[in-house]
Coordinates of all heavy atoms in Angstrom, one line a residue:
A1 N -77.3 -39.2 16.7 CA -77.0 -38.1 17.5 C -76.5 -37.0 16.6 O -75.7 -37.2 15.6 CB -75.9 -38.4 18.6
L2 N -76.8 -35.8 16.9 CA -76.4 -34.6 16.1 C -75.0 -34.2 16.5 O -74.7 -34.0 17.7 CB -77.3 -33.4 16.4 CG -77.0 -32.2 15.6 CD1 -77.2 -32.4 14.1 CD2 -78.0 -31.1 16.0
R3 N -74.1 -34.1 15.6 CA -72.7 -33.7 15.8 C -72.6 -32.3 15.6 O -73.0 -31.7 14.6 CB -71.8 -34.5 14.9 CG -71.7 -35.9 15.1 CD -70.8 -36.6 14.1 NE -71.0 -38.0 14.2 CZ -70.5 -38.9 13.2 NH1 -69.9 -38.4 12.2 NH2 -70.7 -40.2 13.4
L4 N -72.0 -31.6 16.6 CA -71.7 -30.2 16.5 C -70.2 -30.0 16.2 O -69.4 -30.1 17.1 CB -72.1 -29.5 17.9 CG -73.6 -29.7 18.2 CD1 -73.9 -29.3 19.6 CD2 -74.5 -29.0 17.2
S5 N -69.9 -29.7 15.0 CA -68.5 -29.6 14.5 C -68.0 -28.1 14.5 O -68.8 -27.2 14.4 CB -68.4 -30.2 13.1 OG -69.2 -29.6 12.2
A6 N -66.7 -28.0 14.6 CA -66.1 -26.7 14.5 C -66.2 -26.2 13.0 O -66.3 -27.0 12.1 CB -64.6 -26.8 15.0
K7 N -66.1 -24.9 12.8 CA -66.2 -24.4 11.5 C -65.1 -24.9 10.6 O -65.3 -25.0 9.4 CB -66.2 -22.8 11.5 CG -67.5 -22.2 12.0 CD -67.5 -20.7 11.8 CE -68.9 -20.2 12.1 NZ -69.0 -19.3 13.2
W8 N -63.9 -25.2 11.1 CA -62.8 -25.6 10.3 C -62.8 -27.1 10.0 O -62.1 -27.6 9.2 CB -61.5 -25.3 11.1 CG -61.4 -25.8 12.5 CD1 -61.6 -25.2 13.6 CD2 -61.0 -27.2 12.8 NE1 -61.4 -26.0 14.7 CE2 -61.0 -27.2 14.2 CE3 -60.6 -28.3 12.1 CZ2 -60.7 -28.4 14.9 CZ3 -60.2 -29.4 12.8 CH2 -60.3 -29.5 14.2
M9 N -63.7 -27.8 10.6 CA -63.8 -29.3 10.4 C -64.5 -29.6 9.0 O -65.3 -28.8 8.6 CB -64.6 -30.0 11.5 CG -63.8 -29.9 12.8 SD -64.7 -30.7 14.2 CE -64.6 -32.4 13.8
T10 N -64.0 -30.7 8.4 CA -64.5 -31.1 7.1 C -65.2 -32.5 7.2 O -65.1 -33.2 8.2 CB -63.4 -31.2 6.1 OG1 -62.5 -32.3 6.5 CG2 -62.6 -29.9 6.0
K11 N -65.8 -32.9 6.1 CA -66.4 -34.2 6.0 C -65.4 -35.3 6.2 O -65.6 -36.3 6.9 CB -67.1 -34.4 4.6 CG -67.8 -35.7 4.5 CD -68.6 -35.7 3.2 CE -67.9 -36.6 2.2 NZ -68.7 -36.7 0.9
A12 N -64.2 -35.0 5.8 CA -63.1 -36.0 5.9 C -62.8 -36.2 7.4 O -62.5 -37.3 7.8 CB -61.8 -35.5 5.2
D13 N -62.9 -35.2 8.2 CA -62.6 -35.3 9.7 C -63.6 -36.3 10.3 O -63.2 -37.2 11.1 CB -62.7 -34.0 10.4 CG -61.7 -33.0 9.9 OD1 -60.7 -33.4 9.3 OD2 -61.9 -31.8 10.0
D14 N -64.9 -36.2 9.9 CA -65.9 -37.2 10.4 C -65.5 -38.6 10.0 O -65.6 -39.6 10.8 CB -67.3 -36.8 10.0 CG -67.9 -35.7 10.9 OD1 -67.2 -35.0 11.6 OD2 -69.1 -35.6 10.8
R15 N -65.2 -38.8 8.7 CA -64.8 -40.1 8.2 C -63.6 -40.7 8.9 O -63.6 -41.8 9.3 CB -64.5 -40.1 6.7 CG -65.7 -39.6 5.8 CD -66.9 -40.6 5.8 NE -67.8 -40.3 6.8 CZ -68.8 -39.3 6.7 NH1 -68.8 -38.5 5.7 NH2 -69.6 -39.1 7.7
I16 N -62.6 -39.8 9.2 CA -61.4 -40.3 9.9 C -61.8 -40.7 11.3 O -61.4 -41.8 11.7 CB -60.3 -39.1 9.9 CG1 -59.8 -38.9 8.6 CG2 -59.2 -39.5 10.9 CD1 -59.0 -37.6 8.5
L17 N -62.5 -39.9 12.0 CA -62.9 -40.3 13.4 C -63.8 -41.5 13.4 O -63.6 -42.4 14.3 CB -63.7 -39.1 14.0 CG -62.8 -37.8 14.3 CD1 -63.7 -36.6 14.7 CD2 -61.7 -38.1 15.3
E18 N -64.7 -41.7 12.5 CA -65.5 -42.9 12.4 C -64.6 -44.1 12.1 O -64.8 -45.1 12.8 CB -66.6 -42.7 11.3 CG -67.6 -41.7 11.6 CD -68.4 -41.3 10.4 OE1 -68.1 -41.7 9.2 OE2 -69.4 -40.5 10.6
F19 N -63.7 -44.0 11.2 CA -62.8 -45.1 10.9 C -62.0 -45.5 12.2 O -61.9 -46.7 12.5 CB -61.8 -44.7 9.8 CG -60.9 -45.8 9.4 CD1 -61.2 -46.7 8.4 CD2 -59.7 -45.9 10.0 CE1 -60.4 -47.7 8.1 CE2 -58.8 -47.0 9.7 CZ -59.2 -47.9 8.7
L20 N -61.4 -44.5 12.8 CA -60.6 -44.8 14.0 C -61.4 -45.4 15.1 O -61.0 -46.3 15.9 CB -59.8 -43.6 14.5 CG -58.7 -43.1 13.6 CD1 -58.2 -41.8 14.1 CD2 -57.6 -44.1 13.4
A21 N -62.7 -44.9 15.3 CA -63.6 -45.5 16.3 C -63.9 -46.9 16.0 O -64.0 -47.8 17.0 CB -64.9 -44.7 16.4
E22 N -64.0 -47.3 14.8 CA -64.4 -48.7 14.4 C -63.2 -49.6 14.3 O -63.2 -50.8 14.7 CB -65.1 -48.7 13.1 CG -66.5 -48.2 13.1 CD -67.2 -48.3 11.8 OE1 -66.9 -49.2 11.0 OE2 -68.1 -47.5 11.6
E23 N -62.1 -49.1 13.8 CA -60.9 -49.9 13.5 C -59.8 -49.9 14.5 O -58.9 -50.7 14.5 CB -60.3 -49.6 12.1 CG -61.4 -49.6 11.0 CD -62.0 -51.0 10.8 OE1 -61.3 -52.0 11.0 OE2 -63.1 -51.1 10.3
G24 N -59.8 -48.9 15.4 CA -58.7 -48.7 16.3 C -57.6 -47.9 15.7 O -57.9 -47.0 14.9
K25 N -56.4 -48.1 16.0 CA -55.3 -47.3 15.5 C -55.0 -47.6 14.1 O -55.2 -48.7 13.6 CB -54.0 -47.5 16.4 CG -53.4 -48.9 16.4 CD -52.3 -48.9 17.4 CE -51.8 -50.3 17.5 NZ -50.8 -50.5 18.5
A26 N -54.5 -46.5 13.4 CA -54.3 -46.7 11.9 C -53.4 -45.6 11.4 O -53.3 -44.5 12.1 CB -55.6 -46.6 11.1
Q27 N -52.7 -45.8 10.3 CA -51.9 -44.8 9.6 C -52.8 -44.2 8.5 O -53.7 -44.8 8.0 CB -50.7 -45.5 9.0 CG -49.7 -46.0 10.0 CD -48.6 -46.7 9.4 OE1 -48.7 -47.6 8.6 NE2 -47.4 -46.3 9.8
P28 N -52.5 -43.0 8.1 CA -53.2 -42.3 7.0 C -53.4 -43.2 5.8 O -54.5 -43.2 5.2 CB -52.4 -41.0 6.7 CG -51.7 -40.8 8.0 CD -51.4 -42.1 8.6
A29 N -52.4 -43.9 5.4 CA -52.5 -44.7 4.2 C -53.5 -45.8 4.3 O -54.3 -46.1 3.4 CB -51.2 -45.3 3.8
M30 N -53.6 -46.4 5.5 CA -54.6 -47.4 5.8 C -56.0 -46.9 5.8 O -56.9 -47.5 5.3 CB -54.4 -48.0 7.2 CG -53.1 -48.9 7.4 SD -52.7 -49.2 9.1 CE -54.2 -50.1 9.6
I31 N -56.1 -45.7 6.3 CA -57.5 -45.0 6.3 C -57.9 -44.7 4.9 O -59.0 -44.9 4.5 CB -57.4 -43.7 7.2 CG1 -57.0 -44.1 8.6 CG2 -58.7 -43.0 7.1 CD1 -56.7 -42.9 9.5
G32 N -56.9 -44.2 4.1 CA -57.2 -43.8 2.7 C -57.6 -45.0 1.8 O -58.3 -44.8 0.8
E33 N -57.1 -46.2 2.2 CA -57.4 -47.4 1.4 C -58.8 -47.9 1.6 O -59.3 -48.7 0.9 CB -56.4 -48.5 1.7 CG -55.0 -48.2 1.2 CD -54.0 -49.2 1.7 OE1 -54.3 -50.1 2.5 OE2 -52.8 -49.0 1.4
D34 N -59.5 -47.4 2.7 CA -60.8 -47.9 3.0 C -61.8 -47.2 2.1 O -61.8 -46.0 2.0 CB -61.1 -47.6 4.5 CG -62.3 -48.2 5.0 OD1 -63.4 -47.7 4.7 OD2 -62.2 -49.3 5.6
S35 N -62.8 -48.0 1.6 CA -63.8 -47.4 0.7 C -64.7 -46.4 1.3 O -65.3 -45.6 0.6 CB -64.6 -48.6 0.0 OG -65.3 -49.3 1.1
R36 N -64.8 -46.4 2.6 CA -65.7 -45.5 3.3 C -65.1 -44.1 3.4 O -65.8 -43.1 3.7 CB -66.0 -46.0 4.7 CG -66.7 -47.3 4.8 CD -66.8 -47.9 6.2 NE -65.4 -48.3 6.6 CZ -65.1 -48.9 7.7 NH1 -66.0 -49.1 8.6 NH2 -63.9 -49.3 8.0
V37 N -63.8 -44.0 3.2 CA -63.1 -42.7 3.4 C -62.9 -41.9 2.1 O -63.3 -40.8 2.0 CB -61.8 -42.9 4.2 CG1 -61.1 -41.6 4.4 CG2 -62.0 -43.6 5.5
E38 N -62.2 -42.5 1.2 CA -62.1 -41.9 -0.2 C -61.4 -40.5 -0.2 O -61.8 -39.6 -0.8 CB -63.4 -41.8 -0.9 CG -64.0 -43.2 -1.2 CD -65.4 -43.1 -1.9 OE1 -65.9 -42.0 -2.0 OE2 -65.8 -44.2 -2.3
F39 N -60.3 -40.4 0.5 CA -59.5 -39.2 0.5 C -58.0 -39.7 0.4 O -57.7 -40.7 0.8 CB -59.6 -38.3 1.7 CG -61.0 -37.7 1.9 CD1 -61.9 -38.3 2.7 CD2 -61.3 -36.6 1.2 CE1 -63.2 -37.8 2.8 CE2 -62.6 -36.0 1.4 CZ -63.5 -36.6 2.2
D40 N -57.2 -38.9 -0.3 CA -55.8 -39.3 -0.5 C -55.0 -39.1 0.8 O -55.3 -38.4 1.7 CB -55.1 -38.6 -1.7 CG -54.9 -37.2 -1.5 OD1 -54.2 -36.8 -0.5 OD2 -55.3 -36.4 -2.4
T41 N -53.9 -39.9 0.8 CA -53.1 -39.9 2.1 C -52.5 -38.6 2.5 O -52.5 -38.2 3.7 CB -51.9 -40.9 1.8 OG1 -52.4 -42.2 1.5 CG2 -51.0 -41.1 3.1
Q42 N -52.1 -37.8 1.5 CA -51.6 -36.4 1.9 C -52.6 -35.6 2.6 O -52.4 -34.9 3.6 CB -51.0 -35.7 0.6 CG -50.4 -34.4 0.9 CD -49.8 -33.7 -0.3 OE1 -49.8 -34.3 -1.4 NE2 -49.3 -32.5 -0.2
Y43 N -53.8 -35.6 2.0 CA -54.9 -34.8 2.6 C -55.3 -35.4 4.0 O -55.5 -34.6 5.0 CB -56.2 -34.8 1.7 CG -57.3 -34.0 2.3 CD1 -57.2 -32.6 2.4 CD2 -58.5 -34.6 2.6 CE1 -58.3 -31.9 2.9 CE2 -59.6 -33.9 3.1 CZ -59.4 -32.5 3.2 OH -60.5 -31.8 3.7
L44 N -55.3 -36.7 4.1 CA -55.6 -37.3 5.4 C -54.5 -36.9 6.5 O -54.8 -36.7 7.6 CB -55.7 -38.8 5.3 CG -56.9 -39.3 4.5 CD1 -56.8 -40.8 4.2 CD2 -58.2 -39.0 5.2
N45 N -53.2 -36.9 6.0 CA -52.2 -36.4 6.9 C -52.5 -35.0 7.5 O -52.3 -34.8 8.7 CB -50.8 -36.4 6.2 CG -50.1 -37.7 6.3 OD1 -50.0 -38.3 7.4 ND2 -49.4 -38.1 5.3
Q46 N -52.9 -34.1 6.6 CA -53.2 -32.7 7.0 C -54.3 -32.7 8.0 O -54.3 -32.0 9.0 CB -53.6 -31.9 5.8 CG -52.5 -31.7 4.8 CD -53.0 -31.0 3.5 OE1 -54.2 -30.8 3.3 NE2 -52.1 -30.8 2.6
R47 N -55.4 -33.5 7.7 CA -56.5 -33.5 8.6 C -56.2 -34.1 9.9 O -56.6 -33.7 11.0 CB -57.7 -34.3 7.9 CG -58.2 -33.7 6.6 CD -58.4 -32.2 6.6 NE -59.3 -31.7 7.7 CZ -59.4 -30.4 8.0 NH1 -58.8 -29.5 7.3 NH2 -60.2 -30.0 9.0
L48 N -55.4 -35.2 9.9 CA -55.0 -35.8 11.2 C -54.2 -34.9 12.0 O -54.3 -34.9 13.3 CB -54.3 -37.2 10.9 CG -55.2 -38.3 10.6 CD1 -54.5 -39.4 9.9 CD2 -55.8 -38.9 11.9
W49 N -53.3 -34.1 11.4 CA -52.6 -33.1 12.1 C -53.5 -32.2 12.9 O -53.4 -31.9 14.1 CB -51.6 -32.3 11.2 CG -50.9 -31.3 12.0 CD1 -49.7 -31.4 12.7 CD2 -51.3 -29.9 12.2 NE1 -49.3 -30.3 13.3 CE2 -50.3 -29.3 13.0 CE3 -52.3 -29.1 11.7 CZ2 -50.3 -28.0 13.4 CZ3 -52.4 -27.8 12.1 CH2 -51.4 -27.2 12.9
K50 N -54.5 -31.7 12.1 CA -55.5 -30.7 12.7 C -56.3 -31.4 13.9 O -56.5 -30.8 14.9 CB -56.5 -30.2 11.7 CG -56.0 -29.1 10.9 CD -57.1 -28.4 10.1 CE -56.7 -27.0 9.7 NZ -57.7 -26.0 9.7
L51 N -56.8 -32.6 13.6 CA -57.5 -33.4 14.6 C -56.7 -33.6 15.9 O -57.2 -33.6 17.0 CB -58.1 -34.7 14.0 CG -59.2 -34.5 13.0 CD1 -59.5 -35.8 12.3 CD2 -60.4 -33.9 13.5
T52 N -55.4 -33.9 15.7 CA -54.5 -34.1 16.8 C -54.3 -32.8 17.6 O -54.3 -32.8 18.8 CB -53.2 -34.8 16.3 OG1 -53.5 -36.0 15.7 CG2 -52.3 -35.0 17.5
E53 N -54.1 -31.7 16.9 CA -53.9 -30.4 17.5 C -55.2 -30.1 18.4 O -55.1 -29.5 19.4 CB -53.6 -29.3 16.5 CG -52.3 -29.4 15.9 CD -51.2 -29.1 16.9 OE1 -51.2 -28.0 17.6 OE2 -50.2 -29.9 17.1
A54 N -56.3 -30.5 17.9 CA -57.6 -30.2 18.5 C -57.9 -31.3 19.6 O -59.0 -31.2 20.2 CB -58.7 -30.1 17.5
E55 N -57.0 -32.3 19.7 CA -57.2 -33.3 20.7 C -58.3 -34.3 20.5 O -58.9 -34.9 21.4 CB -57.2 -32.8 22.2 CG -55.9 -32.0 22.5 CD -55.9 -31.4 23.9 OE1 -56.9 -31.6 24.6 OE2 -54.8 -30.9 24.2
L56 N -58.8 -34.4 19.2 CA -59.8 -35.4 18.9 C -59.2 -36.7 18.4 O -59.8 -37.7 18.5 CB -60.7 -34.8 17.7 CG -61.5 -33.6 18.1 CD1 -62.2 -33.0 16.9 CD2 -62.5 -33.9 19.2
T57 N -57.9 -36.6 18.0 CA -57.1 -37.8 17.8 C -55.8 -37.7 18.5 O -55.4 -36.6 18.9 CB -56.8 -38.1 16.3 OG1 -56.1 -37.0 15.7 CG2 -58.1 -38.3 15.5
Q58 N -55.0 -38.8 18.6 CA -53.7 -38.7 19.3 C -52.8 -39.6 18.4 O -53.1 -40.6 18.0 CB -53.9 -39.3 20.7 CG -52.6 -39.3 21.5 CD -52.8 -39.9 22.8 OE1 -53.8 -40.3 23.2 NE2 -51.7 -40.0 23.6
R59 N -51.5 -39.1 18.3 CA -50.5 -39.8 17.6 C -49.9 -40.8 18.6 O -49.4 -40.3 19.7 CB -49.5 -38.9 17.0 CG -48.5 -39.5 16.1 CD -47.7 -38.5 15.4 NE -46.6 -39.2 14.7 CZ -45.8 -38.6 13.8 NH1 -45.9 -37.3 13.6 NH2 -44.9 -39.3 13.2
V60 N -49.8 -42.1 18.3 CA -49.3 -43.1 19.3 C -48.1 -43.8 18.8 O -47.6 -44.7 19.4 CB -50.4 -44.1 19.6 CG1 -51.6 -43.4 20.4 CG2 -51.0 -44.8 18.4
G61 N -47.6 -43.4 17.6 CA -46.4 -44.0 17.1 C -46.1 -43.3 15.8 O -46.6 -42.2 15.5
R62 N -45.1 -43.8 15.1 CA -44.7 -43.2 13.8 C -45.8 -43.2 12.8 O -46.1 -44.2 12.1 CB -43.5 -43.9 13.3 CG -42.8 -43.2 12.2 CD -41.5 -44.0 11.8 NE -40.9 -43.3 10.6 CZ -39.8 -42.6 10.7 NH1 -39.2 -42.4 11.9 NH2 -39.3 -42.0 9.6
G63 N -46.5 -42.1 12.7 CA -47.6 -41.9 11.8 C -48.8 -42.8 12.1 O -49.7 -43.0 11.3
V64 N -49.0 -43.2 13.4 CA -50.1 -44.0 13.8 C -51.0 -43.2 14.7 O -50.5 -42.6 15.6 CB -49.6 -45.3 14.5 CG1 -50.8 -46.1 15.0 CG2 -48.7 -46.1 13.6
Y65 N -52.3 -43.2 14.5 CA -53.2 -42.4 15.2 C -54.3 -43.2 15.8 O -54.7 -44.3 15.3 CB -53.8 -41.3 14.3 CG -52.8 -40.3 13.8 CD1 -52.1 -40.6 12.6 CD2 -52.6 -39.1 14.4 CE1 -51.2 -39.7 12.1 CE2 -51.7 -38.2 14.0 CZ -51.0 -38.5 12.8 OH -50.1 -37.6 12.3
V66 N -54.9 -42.7 16.9 CA -56.1 -43.3 17.6 C -57.0 -42.1 17.8 O -56.6 -41.0 17.9 CB -55.8 -44.0 18.9 CG1 -54.9 -45.2 18.6 CG2 -55.1 -43.1 19.9
I67 N -58.3 -42.5 18.0 CA -59.3 -41.5 18.4 C -59.2 -41.3 19.9 O -58.9 -42.2 20.7 CB -60.7 -41.9 18.0 CG1 -61.7 -40.8 18.2 CG2 -61.1 -43.2 18.7 CD1 -63.0 -41.0 17.5
T68 N -59.4 -40.1 20.4 CA -59.4 -39.8 21.8 C -60.8 -39.9 22.4 O -61.8 -40.0 21.7 CB -58.9 -38.4 22.1 OG1 -59.8 -37.4 21.5 CG2 -57.4 -38.1 21.6
E69 N -60.9 -39.9 23.7 CA -62.2 -39.9 24.4 C -63.0 -38.7 23.9 O -64.2 -38.9 23.6 CB -62.0 -39.8 25.9 CG -63.3 -40.2 26.6 CD -63.0 -40.3 28.1 OE1 -62.0 -40.9 28.6 OE2 -63.9 -39.9 28.9
E70 N -62.4 -37.5 23.7 CA -63.1 -36.4 23.2 C -63.6 -36.6 21.8 O -64.7 -36.2 21.5 CB -62.2 -35.2 23.3 CG -62.9 -33.9 23.6 CD -61.9 -32.8 23.9 OE1 -61.0 -32.4 23.1 OE2 -62.0 -32.2 25.1
G71 N -62.8 -37.3 21.0 CA -63.2 -37.6 19.6 C -64.4 -38.6 19.6 O -65.3 -38.4 18.8
E72 N -64.4 -39.5 20.5 CA -65.5 -40.5 20.6 C -66.8 -39.7 21.1 O -67.8 -40.0 20.5 CB -65.2 -41.6 21.7 CG -64.0 -42.5 21.3 CD -64.5 -43.8 20.7 OE1 -65.7 -43.9 20.4 OE2 -63.7 -44.6 20.5
D73 N -66.6 -38.8 22.0 CA -67.7 -38.0 22.5 C -68.3 -37.2 21.4 O -69.5 -37.0 21.3 CB -67.4 -37.2 23.7 CG -67.1 -38.0 25.0 OD1 -67.5 -39.2 25.0 OD2 -66.6 -37.5 25.9
Y74 N -67.4 -36.6 20.5 CA -67.9 -35.8 19.4 C -68.8 -36.7 18.5 O -69.8 -36.3 18.0 CB -66.7 -35.2 18.6 CG -67.1 -34.8 17.3 CD1 -67.8 -33.6 17.1 CD2 -66.8 -35.5 16.1 CE1 -68.2 -33.2 15.8 CE2 -67.2 -35.1 14.9 CZ -67.9 -33.9 14.7 OH -68.3 -33.5 13.5
L75 N -68.3 -37.9 18.2 CA -69.1 -38.8 17.3 C -70.4 -39.1 17.8 O -71.4 -39.3 17.1 CB -68.3 -40.1 17.0 CG -67.1 -40.0 16.1 CD1 -66.4 -41.4 16.0 CD2 -67.4 -39.4 14.8
T76 N -70.6 -39.3 19.1 CA -71.9 -39.6 19.7 C -72.7 -38.4 20.0 O -73.8 -38.5 20.6 CB -71.7 -40.4 21.0 OG1 -70.9 -39.6 22.0 CG2 -71.0 -41.7 20.8
G77 N -72.2 -37.2 19.7 CA -73.0 -36.0 20.0 C -72.9 -35.5 21.4 O -73.5 -34.5 21.8
E78 N -72.0 -36.1 22.2 CA -71.8 -35.6 23.6 C -70.8 -34.5 23.8 O -70.7 -34.0 24.9 CB -71.4 -36.9 24.5 CG -72.5 -37.9 24.5 CD -72.1 -39.2 25.3 OE1 -71.3 -39.0 26.2 OE2 -72.4 -40.3 24.8
F79 N -70.0 -34.2 22.7 CA -69.0 -33.2 22.8 C -69.3 -32.1 21.7 O -69.4 -32.5 20.5 CB -67.6 -33.7 22.6 CG -66.5 -32.7 22.6 CD1 -66.1 -32.0 23.7 CD2 -65.9 -32.3 21.4 CE1 -65.2 -31.0 23.7 CE2 -65.0 -31.3 21.4 CZ -64.6 -30.7 22.5
D80 N -69.4 -30.9 22.1 CA -69.7 -29.8 21.2 C -68.3 -29.2 20.7 O -67.6 -28.6 21.5 CB -70.5 -28.7 22.0 CG -70.9 -27.5 21.1 OD1 -70.3 -27.4 20.0 OD2 -71.7 -26.7 21.5
A81 N -68.0 -29.5 19.5 CA -66.7 -29.1 18.9 C -66.7 -27.7 18.4 O -65.7 -27.2 17.9 CB -66.3 -30.1 17.8
R82 N -67.9 -27.0 18.4 CA -68.0 -25.7 17.8 C -67.0 -24.6 18.4 O -66.6 -23.7 17.7 CB -69.4 -25.1 17.9 CG -70.4 -25.9 17.1 CD -71.8 -25.4 17.2 NE -72.3 -25.6 18.6 CZ -73.5 -25.4 19.0 NH1 -74.4 -24.8 18.2 NH2 -73.9 -25.7 20.2
D83 N -66.6 -24.8 19.6 CA -65.7 -23.9 20.3 C -64.2 -24.2 20.1 O -63.4 -23.5 20.6 CB -66.1 -23.7 21.7 CG -67.4 -23.0 21.9 OD1 -67.8 -22.2 21.1 OD2 -68.1 -23.4 22.9
L84 N -63.9 -25.3 19.5 CA -62.5 -25.7 19.3 C -61.9 -24.7 18.4 O -62.4 -24.4 17.3 CB -62.4 -27.1 18.6 CG -62.7 -28.3 19.5 CD1 -62.6 -29.6 18.7 CD2 -61.7 -28.4 20.7
P85 N -60.7 -24.1 18.8 CA -60.0 -23.2 17.9 C -59.4 -23.9 16.7 O -59.1 -25.0 16.7 CB -58.9 -22.6 18.8 CG -58.7 -23.6 19.9 CD -60.0 -24.3 20.0
D86 N -59.3 -23.1 15.6 CA -58.7 -23.6 14.4 C -57.2 -23.8 14.6 O -56.5 -22.9 14.9 CB -59.0 -22.7 13.2 CG -58.5 -23.2 11.9 OD1 -57.6 -24.1 11.9 OD2 -58.9 -22.7 10.9
P87 N -56.7 -25.1 14.5 CA -55.3 -25.3 14.7 C -54.4 -24.5 13.8 O -53.2 -24.2 14.2 CB -55.1 -26.8 14.4 CG -56.5 -27.4 14.7 CD -57.4 -26.3 14.2
D88 N -54.9 -24.0 12.7 CA -54.1 -23.2 11.8 C -54.0 -21.7 12.2 O -53.2 -21.0 11.7 CB -54.6 -23.3 10.3 CG -54.2 -24.6 9.7 OD1 -53.2 -25.3 10.2 OD2 -54.9 -25.0 8.7
S89 N -54.9 -21.3 13.1 CA -54.9 -19.9 13.4 C -54.1 -19.7 14.7 O -53.8 -20.6 15.4 CB -56.4 -19.4 13.7 OG -56.9 -19.9 14.9
S90 N -53.8 -18.5 15.0 CA -53.0 -18.2 16.2 C -53.8 -17.8 17.4 O -53.3 -17.2 18.3 CB -52.0 -17.0 15.8 OG -52.7 -15.9 15.4
E91 N -55.1 -18.1 17.3 CA -56.0 -17.8 18.4 C -55.7 -18.6 19.7 O -55.4 -19.8 19.6 CB -57.5 -18.1 18.0 CG -58.0 -17.2 17.0 CD -59.3 -17.6 16.5 OE1 -60.1 -18.3 17.2 OE2 -59.7 -17.2 15.3

């Protein structure tokens, strides 16, 4: 399925969402240790903050994240993320 991502989204965001969809809940360090992801923990923390602000992931504990239904729909091409506002902007 073709994924329609927001302009602010990065390749790391797709890897994070794919990881959470396959593995369930995880902390950034756990995600970063996976060979499929290959990004450092600090960067993953930043991306998870953005994904959570955009409601594609949800924080469920101290530094623990899960993918949301919207995030799952994005991965399958059923959700168009192009209109999601950039969490860093004041829009």
Side-chain angles (χ1 to χ4, degrees):
L2 181 64
R3 295 178 189 165
L4 301 169
S5 58
K7 285 188 169 118
W8 55 263
M9 291 177 76
T10 68
K11 184 172 106 174
D13 299 338
D14 278 20
R15 297 297 88 79
I16 291 166
L17 293 170
E18 290 163 356
F19 180 90
L20 292 173
E22 287 183 29
E23 307 296 332
K25 61 185 176 186
Q27 295 176 307
M30 292 167 59
I31 299 169
E33 289 169 2
D34 191 280
S35 62
R36 297 170 289 182
V37 180
E38 298 179 349
F39 294 97
D40 69 54
T41 303
Q42 184 177 353
Y43 182 66
L44 292 172
N45 267 320
Q46 293 170 0
R47 300 315 306 169
L48 279 159
W49 178 85
K50 279 195 160 213
L51 291 170
T52 300
E53 287 293 304
E55 299 181 357
L56 296 175
T57 60
Q58 180 181 1
R59 193 171 170 173
V60 293
R62 191 178 176 102
V64 178
Y65 295 85
V66 295
I67 190 168
T68 62
E69 193 173 320
E70 214 166 60
E72 294 265 9
D73 288 346
Y74 163 74
L75 287 180
T76 60
E78 294 174 38
F79 176 74
D80 184 346
R82 291 179 293 185
D83 293 330
L84 286 175
D86 185 337
D88 284 339
S89 73
S90 56
E91 292 173 24

